[in-house]
Amino acid sequence: MSADTPSVADVGEFGVISRITAGLRQPPSTLLGPGDDAAVIAASDGRVVASTDVLVENVHFRLDWSNPDHVGRKAVAVNLADVAAMGAVPTAVLVGLACPPSTPADVLAGISGGIAAAATAAGAGVVGGDLVGAPQLVISITALGDLGGRAPVTRAGARPGDVVAVTGRIGWSAAGLATLSRGFRSPVAVVAAHRVPEPPYAAGPAAADAGATAMVDVSDGLLADLGHVAAASTVAIDVRSDALELPQKLVDVAAALGADPMRWVLTGGEDHALAATFPGAVPDGWRVIGTVAEGSGVTVDGRPYEGASGWQHWG
Amino acid sequence: MSADTPSVADVGEFGVISRITAGLRQPPSTLLGPGDDAAVIAASDGRVVASTDVLVENVHFRLDWSNPDHVGRKAVAVNLADVAAMGAVPTAVLVGLACPPSTPADVLAGISGGIAAAATAAGAGVVGGDLVGAPQLVISITALGDLGGRAPVTRAGARPGDVVAVTGRIGWSAAGLATLSRGFRSPVAVVAAHRVPEPPYAAGPAAADAGATAMVDVSDGLLADLGHVAAASTVAIDVRSDALELPQKLVDVAAALGADPMRWVLTGGEDHALAATFPGAVPDGWRVIGTVAEGSGVTVDGRPYEGASGWQHWG
């Protein structure tokens, strides 16, 4: 390792942490930020929403497909989408980073910068973390949020007669992954969507305010995640394929790659859009794509969908 | 892998998670437990204390030295000690687990069981988590706590004239590590202390109530952690060696291994005892070991301590 690209081991744990925390800007909800045994975050609602997700290099991201800033932003988006899907507003993230001591300090700085930028953009502070040595780069993020007096919107409240609606992009990340997997770096729009999902955070609390009965973020794929809602709510969900948005961009990419764009929309994961059920009218920005009925399972146009059922971490 | 010892890949992510969450008992503070996008935890104080620590196999624990239950318990103790050191009562933990798909499902069940047992014993719920594939076993835990109206006790409040006091075992984990490193499995007391630290959680809030001006958990080593207090508080701390407890057990183990037991007490990490500064009388169970003065740095009997300055993650 040359002197002008110092590694984490060169800079040392505390040196790296100092570099990371020096530039952090904290929102008012951060009552005590990084540097002590623990952080203190406002939870004025009297409850706190919390979710943890772990990203592993070469499983959830590749540093030859994404730069460190992308990786940091994605790690935050994955987590804050879970908070939004409960109807909460993000307040804070805590970051556990494990990496080889040989990791360039600039790579960690890039990841940390992406984490800070994405958290700040969502109104959340980076309030704490831990940095340890490991053979592989692993990023574990815990996101906290505030319900602001709203009842949490679980997966279990969908009722027969509700409509199913979505907001945010769906299928774009899968299109980007397929593009990168084939060795291409464009179209930029789909590749960027895979590198850094942009969940519609504000739509989560807005849906809760509008009476959403169930909500989930689309992380495993639309049908898989609606399957989680159907199972938790003990209802059946039917998606109408002609109600789904099939952007021309996805059609074009699919044509170029010999793929089925509708499969990306129905089963592609990692877009972190929001899907919810509503007893009546849906809020602005949401698209009705199906209905809830008595029964179980998820169908498309009344039939089981043939094809992959969503993203799998194993095998 | 034989059929009677199924791996994580055999059981599948959701199967493993089901096994883990099925037996969980939640305290009243868990308003919504695992299984949804995020958990909801009571934060009746209106603030939440949060801390993250990451443990990596063969860096922070070895499965030939500790069984999976030990590892789970240690991962929780490391985190909840940080919460206690702020003066807060633990309420919840979230668990990020990365492991090779070939990991025996029983190992994960053991770790998860240890996590659940240690959390429950401290009054906290295991409210959520994530399980992903990785080349190495990594455990990231985020602990949450409630201040119950107390002001958080930071590292920055020590003032000249305060006394320095500790509660909990110090040096025992280092003695256990030295014992295991030499290939021994006994004395059981020190080995057990290394495998599963037992932080004095309740002493944290009690110290806050008693007017502690600064507090830290002894994770890096007594001198190193008092150094953090001295730096954050811009004061000098002097430790009197004759005030430190030097248990006969540590003296005996050190004699057998040719080691210096006082060095374990002064620099050994991972006991997760608590050290605090008080303006006057200390609560029951705390031992006064030194004083705070104008200046900077940490001394022992008025002199800099020769020797390792504490636990280092990087070579």
Side-chain angles (χ1 to χ4, degrees):
Chain A
M1 191 64 61
S2 69
D4 56 333
T5 58
S7 70
V8 171
D10 294 333
V11 179
E13 177 188 353
F14 293 119
V16 172
I17 290 173
S18 294
R19 283 180 61 172
I20 291 172
T21 56
L24 289 176
R25 291 174 52 192
Q26 299 292 343
S29 57
T30 302
L31 305 177
L32 180 68
D36 219 293
D37 287 286
V40 184
I41 305 103
S44 48
D45 174 82
R47 301 166 293 176
V48 60
V49 171
S51 177
T52 291
D53 277 291
V54 182
L55 277 70
V56 179
E57 184 179 5
N58 297 332
V59 177
H60 301 92
F61 62 87
R62 289 173 51 159
L63 282 171
D64 55 340
W65 286 359
S66 299
N67 70 30
D69 176 76
H70 297 146
V71 172
R73 289 174 185 269
K74 178 174 177 173
V76 167
V78 164
N79 278 275
L80 293 187
D82 285 322
V83 168
M86 302 305 292
V89 174
T91 55
V93 300
L94 297 99
V95 183
L97 270 171
C99 71
S102 61
T103 304
D106 284 348
V107 168
L108 271 203
I111 292 172
S112 305
I115 289 172
T120 299
V126 179
V127 300
D130 192 20
L131 173 63
V132 301
Q136 180 105 357
L137 181 54
V138 177
I139 306 170
S140 175
I141 292 195
T142 299
L144 305 181
D146 194 280
L147 284 161
R150 288 176 288 274
V153 183
T154 72
R155 301 174 176 185
R159 291 169 300 205
D162 286 352
V163 297
V164 179
V166 294
T167 189
R169 288 176 161 186
I170 299 181
W172 288 68
S173 180
L177 177 61
T179 300
L180 289 163
S181 299
R182 296 283 285 273
F184 301 111
R185 291 289 182 277
S186 64
V188 169
V190 295
V191 169
H194 178 70
R195 287 174 172 153
V196 182
E198 296 190 352
Y201 301 124
D209 288 336
T213 50
M215 187 153 49
V216 70
D217 87 305
V218 183
S219 54
D220 294 337
L222 180 61
L223 296 185
D225 289 306
L226 290 179
H228 298 150
V229 171
S233 301
T234 58
V235 296
I237 288 177
D238 185 55
V239 173
R240 286 188 294 109
S241 60
D242 64 1
L244 289 165
E245 187 178 21
L246 189 57
Q248 189 60 40
K249 180 67 75 179
L250 298 197
V251 173
D252 294 345
V253 173
L257 299 179
D260 173 5
M262 184 55 77
R263 183 160 172 252
W264 289 337
V265 171
L266 290 170
T267 69
E270 302 195 276
D271 283 300
H272 302 283
L274 295 175
T277 55
F278 296 89
V282 304
D284 286 348
W286 290 75
R287 167 188 289 258
V288 174
I289 62 160
T291 51
V292 179
E294 308 258 3
S296 65
V298 178
T299 49
V300 178
D301 301 329
R303 293 184 300 274
Y305 183 73
E306 305 285 338
S309 62
W311 178 261
Q312 297 291 331
H313 293 300
W314 314 109
Chain B
M1 192 63 62
S2 70
D4 55 334
T5 57
S7 70
V8 171
D10 293 334
V11 179
E13 178 187 353
F14 293 119
V16 172
I17 291 173
S18 294
R19 283 180 61 173
I20 292 172
T21 56
L24 290 177
R25 293 174 52 194
Q26 299 292 343
S29 56
T30 303
L31 305 177
L32 180 69
D36 219 291
D37 288 284
V40 184
I41 304 103
S44 48
D45 174 81
R47 301 166 293 177
V48 61
V49 170
S51 178
T52 291
D53 277 291
V54 182
L55 277 69
V56 179
E57 184 180 6
N58 298 331
V59 177
H60 302 91
F61 63 87
R62 289 173 52 160
L63 282 171
D64 54 341
W65 286 358
S66 300
N67 71 30
D69 177 75
H70 297 147
V71 172
R73 288 175 185 268
K74 178 175 177 173
V76 167
V78 164
N79 279 275
L80 293 188
D82 285 324
V83 168
M86 301 305 293
V89 174
T91 54
V93 299
L94 297 100
V95 183
L97 270 171
C99 71
S102 60
T103 304
D106 284 348
V107 168
L108 270 203
I111 292 172
S112 304
I115 288 170
T120 299
V126 180
V127 301
D130 192 19
L131 173 64
V132 301
Q136 180 104 355
L137 180 53
V138 176
I139 307 171
S140 175
I141 292 196
T142 299
L144 305 181
D146 194 279
L147 285 161
R150 287 176 288 274
V153 184
T154 71
R155 301 174 176 185
R159 290 169 301 204
D162 286 353
V163 297
V164 179
V166 295
T167 190
R169 289 176 161 185
I170 299 182
W172 289 68
S173 181
L177 178 61
T179 300
L180 288 163
S181 299
R182 296 281 286 272
F184 301 111
R185 289 290 183 278
S186 64
V188 169
V190 296
V191 169
H194 177 70
R195 287 174 173 151
V196 182
E198 296 190 351
Y201 301 124
D209 287 338
T213 50
M215 187 153 47
V216 70
D217 87 306
V218 183
S219 54
D220 295 337
L222 179 61
L223 297 185
D225 288 308
L226 290 179
H228 298 149
V229 171
S233 300
T234 57
V235 295
I237 287 176
D238 185 55
V239 173
R240 286 188 294 111
S241 59
D242 64 1
L244 290 165
E245 187 178 22
L246 189 56
Q248 190 59 41
K249 179 68 74 180
L250 298 198
V251 173
D252 293 346
V253 173
L257 299 179
D260 173 6
M262 184 55 77
R263 184 159 173 251
W264 289 337
V265 172
L266 290 170
T267 68
E270 302 195 277
D271 284 300
H272 302 283
L274 295 175
T277 55
F278 296 89
V282 304
D284 286 347
W286 289 76
R287 166 187 288 258
V288 174
I289 62 161
T291 50
V292 180
E294 308 257 3
S296 64
V298 178
T299 50
V300 179
D301 301 328
R303 294 184 299 273
Y305 182 73
E306 304 285 335
S309 62
W311 179 260
Q312 298 290 332
H313 293 301
W314 314 110

